Amino acid sequence: MEAVPLGVRCGSADADVLAQLAQAPSFGEDDESIGRWLAAFPEVPSFDVPRTIGIPTWFYGHEPPNPACELHAKYFANSVREEGLLTVATGGIVYTPGKAGTVQEVFQDFTQNYYGSVGPAAPMIFLGRAFWTDEVPAAPLVQKLAAGREAERWILVTDEIDEAVELLLKYASEIR
């Protein structure tokens, strides 16, 4: 979950910053690994970049707030948090392989897109074709349910980041 805010905040960072981040690329459930992970994040300079907000689950006690985010919000009910995140994600969402929570978010997002309950349907990008079609086949179900609806044209299953960016840019240019 830290990848997008990190890219926004450090997209033009030099190799030293990226090397520092690589020192602790993941964490487990123990305090020591979380501390190493948090310590790896450099102080992010405040230059002219979009603002980022992290909204951690707080449901899972071992997951710290996202250090790549400038601001943080707090929800104590995970379902309310997810509903809020999906509602404000009006530019689309890129789904990477995940577990039950990610699958829940896919279908919460799709329900908003299906019914148009929070505005026009927004892109749903499933990054990792084999995962989303074979391991956890959520994408084919979403595509089938979207058939003939506005949401259909904004669903993409791909392994190519450039293809994902292209769809997001197309959406942004059409919605403005």
Side-chain angles (χ1 to χ4, degrees), residues 20-174:
Q20 182 180 347
L21 289 170
Q23 296 301 310
S26 61
F27 65 85
E29 293 188 24
D30 62 281
D31 290 340
E32 186 177 315
S33 68
I34 292 171
R36 284 193 313 269
W37 180 77
L38 288 169
F41 280 84
E43 190 64 34
V44 179
S46 291
F47 47 90
D48 190 25
V49 297
R51 300 191 81 175
T52 56
I53 184 167
I55 307 177
T57 66
W58 301 95
F59 184 68
Y60 311 108
H62 68 280
E63 291 184 4
N66 187 336
C69 291
E70 176 185 7
L71 305 169
H72 291 90
K74 185 188 295 189
Y75 286 97
F76 290 100
N78 203 40
S79 61
V80 174
R81 170 197 165 265
E82 288 174 349
E83 178 69 20
L85 283 171
L86 296 169
T87 299
V88 300
T90 58
I93 299 176
V94 178
Y95 291 99
T96 57
K99 305 261 188 242
T102 304
V103 173
Q104 177 183 340
E105 290 168 4
V106 164
F107 289 102
Q108 268 185 276
D109 182 31
F110 179 67
T111 301
Q112 290 179 351
N113 285 339
Y114 185 89
Y115 291 112
S117 59
V118 294
M124 294 181 72
I125 299 170
F126 296 89
L127 192 58
R129 182 179 301 278
F131 180 84
W132 290 112
T133 59
D134 299 328
E135 289 182 51
V136 177
L141 179 55
V142 166
Q143 289 172 312
K144 185 158 186 78
L145 290 167
R149 302 185 74 88
E150 176 61 22
E152 181 178 25
R153 67 190 287 236
W154 300 117
I155 297 169
L156 174 66
V157 183
T158 187
D159 291 319
E160 303 298 324
I161 293 171
D162 289 344
E163 196 176 5
V165 170
E166 184 179 319
L167 182 69
L168 292 169
L169 291 172
K170 179 181 178 185
Y171 180 80
S173 70
E174 288 188 23

Side-chain angles (χ1 to χ4, degrees), residues 8-24:
V8 168
R9 308 270 313 147
C10 298
S12 61
D14 62 27
D16 291 340
V17 171
L18 299 177
Q20 182 180 347
L21 289 170
Q23 296 301 310

